[in-house]
Amino acid sequence: MPKIYDYFGIVFLFYSSEHEPVHVHARYGDYETIFDIIFEDGKVKEIKTRNSKGVENLPPAKFKDASDFVKKYAVEIAMKWYKVFVLKEKVSCEKINKRV
């Protein structure tokens, strides 16, 4: 389970056996929301959210923080996805201390 970002207590991570579309799990305590990043012609077209089975969605304030973060870092998240699942490289977790 590579953790890729820590943003004000929200941990963004991939599970070890992921699938397309490119997506990231945002976890805060016992809560989790999945953000799907949809690309078209090499650009972010849309970001969709979905529930993680058996886990409650992020609380509203944390959901907004996570959503804003994914919008700003979508390309970087996709690059980390590529490194982990295509190139089979390890990525480090970045702690972001500045509000997006």
Side-chain angles (χ1 to χ4, degrees), residues 50-94:
R50 57 189 164 98
N51 298 349
S52 186
K53 291 181 182 177
V55 182
E56 287 188 54
N57 271 332
L58 295 172
K62 291 298 181 181
F63 178 86
K64 181 177 180 344
D65 286 343
S67 181
D68 291 346
F69 183 88
V70 172
K71 286 176 190 170
K72 179 160 177 81
Y73 285 89
V75 171
E76 290 85 349
I77 291 168
M79 288 170 49
K80 287 187 182 223
W81 171 281
Y82 181 78
K83 284 182 180 181
V84 169
F85 296 107
V86 177
L87 299 178
K88 307 296 185 200
E89 295 179 1
K90 290 188 177 188
V91 295
S92 59
C93 181
E94 294 179 53

Side-chain angles (χ1 to χ4, degrees), residues 12-35:
F12 294 87
L13 56 100
F14 302 135
Y15 287 135
S16 58
S17 59
E18 292 288 24
H19 53 82
E20 290 190 28
V22 171
H23 63 278
V24 65
H25 298 255
R27 188 181 291 169
Y28 180 75
D30 292 333
Y31 303 94
E32 183 175 306
T33 300
I34 302 168
F35 292 85

